[in-house]
Amino acid sequence: MTLAMDYASVMGRANEIMKRSLGLDYQEFESGSIAFDYEALMNATGYTLEEVTKIQSRTAVGNTPLIELRNITALSRRYAAPGRGARIFAKDEAANPSGSFKARRAACAVAHAKKLGYKGVMAATSGNYGAAVASQAAMQGMECIVVQECYDSRGVGQPEIIEKARKCEAYGAEVVQLSVGPELFYSYLTIMQETGYFNASLYSPFGIAGIETLGYEIAMQCREMVGRDPDMVVCTNAGGGMITGTARGLSKAGSNHTAMVAASIDLVGLHMASDSQFNRKSCTTGHTGFGVPYATDPDHSDTPRSAARALRYMDRYVTVKQGEVFYITEVLANLEGLERGPAGNTALAAAFSLAQEMPEDAILVISETEYTGAGKHIQPQLSFARDNGIEIFFGDPVKEDKVGVNIVLPKDPGYIKHQEADITRFRQSLIKKACARAGVTSPNEQDLVFLAEETKTDIAFVKATLGLPQ
């Protein structure tokens, strides 16, 4: 029987298609209400941390260096109060084969797909993950399709996205490039159904299990280098996988008192799915356009239940401006001799400011760097911004930044200042959205416990958010 391929029909079969493409029946983890068994979903990979490490080591993934940024630390201390200015370290994930931490996710997902006998793998991403999946597929002898949201209606694509398409194709992947809009998920499902390929989703438990090794390595390397666990780890936040996996890995290493801070570029006011606004931003990931929606509603992903659940692990959520990220990228190159891509430096921009709040003997780790080159470099990104009418000047990013209108580079490093996001409001938003999604007005005890875990709060907070009696 020929299946209908119109939009409504394909979207109606989404859960069925994803079930076949992941080898997981998500219904096994559901309670029939709001709650689901998150740890059972994570355990469904069937891999221990040690087994994931072995999988990654076979394709030269992981075991990346932890580098102390001594010169940036010294610069940060110039703007701190006496006795303040934590030591800043960077986990150099650009050392992975595809140039980013997402090689960890891809190694686990592609190896599992091969184990299950899939012919090929797929990923829907405009970011580094596509290159990671393509790289791992090449290493493991599998076919690969990457579906990108790339262009606006004029056929204009951002240089960073086009660079990533080039990298995917260099690894032998087929790249399907789409214009911005709702067609991405529909097209992805259609191709997945036609090919029968494995869904190497960013949000599957295989992908998150792959990042756990990152957190584990950070803990073990800190103990080796400085004799103790890090006081704070700052993660660039978009879909939530980085902070989820890193925190879980730290916990598995016994590092349970490290503060987990999410950092996103402030793009509040730009609509990520808007054709007219798509090219008004100069970064494709690590911004609030992904970070906030995925934190407050993690299950609006390409899996029935996302394994990336950022608010479970987040202690603080901070934002920085685009200009601050571009500036710190140049600082990293000029002072530390490390030329790395802007998106991974979102965490570094936040860390430069956060370190000034902390004692000099504190240890602050940024959880990633990423490769740079071609369209990912800050110069083509700034040129692209100018071509799209964005004004670029030096000034005070906090006071003068206007999203989609300008990029304000700090007039000196003292103007790099993170802003605190309202994490309480995000937690409340998740609770309300989860209830609305499930159609539940009176959560049961299991639901209340689940929502408290989801938001790293307690049942009293959940009840207060919903206006329920204590």
Side-chain angles (χ1 to χ4, degrees):
M1 182 181 76
T2 302
L3 296 172
M5 300 301 290
D6 61 279
Y7 183 86
S9 298
V10 171
M11 298 304 286
R13 296 196 298 273
N15 284 349
E16 177 189 338
I17 294 169
M18 288 190 287
K19 177 181 175 181
R20 289 200 305 270
S21 66
L22 274 166
L24 287 176
D25 184 356
Y26 280 77
Q27 285 300 315
E28 294 179 3
F29 313 113
E30 293 295 341
S31 68
S33 188
I34 298 169
F36 81 99
D37 194 335
Y38 175 56
E39 289 303 328
L41 173 64
M42 291 303 302
N43 291 333
T45 64
Y47 300 114
T48 63
L49 182 70
E50 291 75 18
E51 288 168 334
V52 172
T53 300
K54 288 179 181 177
I55 288 170
Q56 292 174 343
S57 67
R58 286 198 290 268
T59 51
V61 172
N63 196 29
T64 56
L66 183 67
I67 302 171
E68 183 168 7
L69 304 180
R70 293 181 176 86
N71 295 329
I72 289 180
T73 296
L75 181 63
S76 175
R77 286 174 176 171
R78 289 178 56 183
Y79 300 95
R84 295 280 162 176
R87 295 167 65 183
I88 303 172
F89 292 72
K91 187 73 164 127
D92 195 14
E93 289 294 283
N96 283 309
S98 60
S100 80
F101 84 95
K102 289 180 179 175
R104 295 177 185 267
R105 292 171 121 154
C108 189
V110 175
H112 188 71
K114 186 171 184 178
K115 175 183 175 182
L116 295 180
Y118 285 84
K119 182 181 178 181
V121 292
M122 288 185 62
T125 169
S126 296
N128 290 330
Y129 189 55
V133 173
S135 171
Q136 288 298 309
M139 288 186 180
Q140 302 192 41
M142 300 188 73
E143 296 177 4
C144 178
I145 298 174
V146 175
V147 182
Q148 274 193 337
E149 194 173 52
C150 184
Y151 300 111
D152 63 15
S153 59
R154 302 171 296 161
V156 176
Q158 295 178 26
E160 186 177 3
I161 299 176
I162 294 170
E163 152 61 20
K164 290 168 184 173
R166 179 208 63 77
K167 197 169 181 72
C168 292
E169 290 173 339
Y171 292 133
E174 177 185 350
V175 179
V176 178
Q177 294 183 316
L178 305 172
S179 57
V180 64
E183 65 176 319
L184 177 67
F185 192 35
Y186 163 74
S187 299
Y188 189 63
L189 289 171
T190 300
I191 297 168
M192 194 183 303
Q193 180 173 286
E194 291 173 346
T195 61
Y197 283 5
F198 182 81
N199 179 15
S201 169
L202 284 162
Y203 307 104
S204 77
F206 307 105
I208 303 307
I211 309 173
E212 290 181 359
T213 60
L214 172 58
Y216 188 86
E217 286 175 23
I218 288 173
M220 303 308 285
Q221 288 173 319
C222 277
R223 290 169 188 169
E224 182 178 350
M225 293 175 69
V226 300
R228 60 189 181 84
D229 293 339
D231 297 284
M232 178 182 290
V233 173
V234 185
C235 301
T236 300
N237 190 56
M242 162 62 83
I243 196 165
T244 299
T246 302
R248 291 176 62 85
L250 283 162
S251 179
K252 288 184 177 182
S255 180
N256 296 311
H257 301 290
T258 300
M260 297 300 302
V261 180
S264 295
I265 297 172
D266 179 5
L267 290 187
V268 173
L270 281 187
H271 194 291
M272 295 305 108
S274 166
D275 175 62
S276 63
Q277 296 181 17
F278 184 64
N279 285 331
R280 304 294 293 176
K281 62 186 186 298
S282 295
C283 52
T284 62
T285 187
H287 54 68
T288 53
F290 287 132
V292 175
Y294 277 91
T296 59
D297 187 14
D299 292 323
H300 79 291
S301 66
D302 60 356
T303 58
R305 288 286 194 175
S306 174
R309 311 191 79 82
L311 284 179
R312 280 181 171 249
Y313 303 99
M314 199 183 294
D315 295 302
R316 295 170 66 181
Y317 197 155
V318 301
T319 62
V320 291
K321 306 297 185 182
Q322 290 181 96
E324 293 172 309
V325 175
F326 287 136
Y327 188 94
I328 205 72
T329 297
E330 284 286 88
V331 170
L332 181 64
N334 292 171
L335 293 189
E336 303 289 355
L338 297 171
E339 190 176 37
R340 299 291 186 264
N345 290 331
T346 301
L348 180 57
F352 184 84
S353 178
L354 287 162
Q356 296 166 35
E357 302 175 347
M358 303 167 70
E360 284 187 343
D361 62 350
I363 303 301
L364 187 160
V365 177
I366 64 162
S367 59
E368 62 164 325
T369 64
E370 61 167 355
Y371 87 97
T372 193
K376 282 172 65 70
H377 196 277
I378 62 172
Q379 294 303 328
Q381 292 196 54
L382 288 172
S383 295
F384 182 76
R386 287 192 188 95
D387 292 343
N388 281 274
I390 303 296
E391 185 183 8
I392 301 169
F393 58 91
F394 286 89
D396 184 340
V398 173
K399 293 181 179 178
E400 298 177 271
D401 180 85
K402 296 180 180 178
V403 176
V405 174
N406 62 28
I407 294 175
V408 184
L409 302 164
K411 55 187 175 183
D412 71 54
Y415 284 85
I416 300 174
K417 295 290 183 185
H418 70 274
Q419 301 298 298
E420 206 75 32
D422 189 349
I423 194 171
T424 298
R425 182 169 63 86
F426 296 158
R427 287 167 170 158
Q428 292 168 336
S429 177
L430 184 149
I431 291 166
K432 292 174 182 177
K433 287 179 180 178
C435 291
R437 180 185 287 270
V440 172
T441 55
S442 299
N444 59 34
E445 191 65 26
Q446 184 182 8
D447 291 334
L448 293 172
V449 171
F450 173 79
L451 290 171
E453 291 172 346
E454 282 280 273
T455 52
K456 205 173 184 180
T457 58
D458 53 34
I459 291 177
F461 179 88
V462 176
K463 286 184 174 180
T465 297
L466 297 174
L468 300 174
Q470 296 290 342

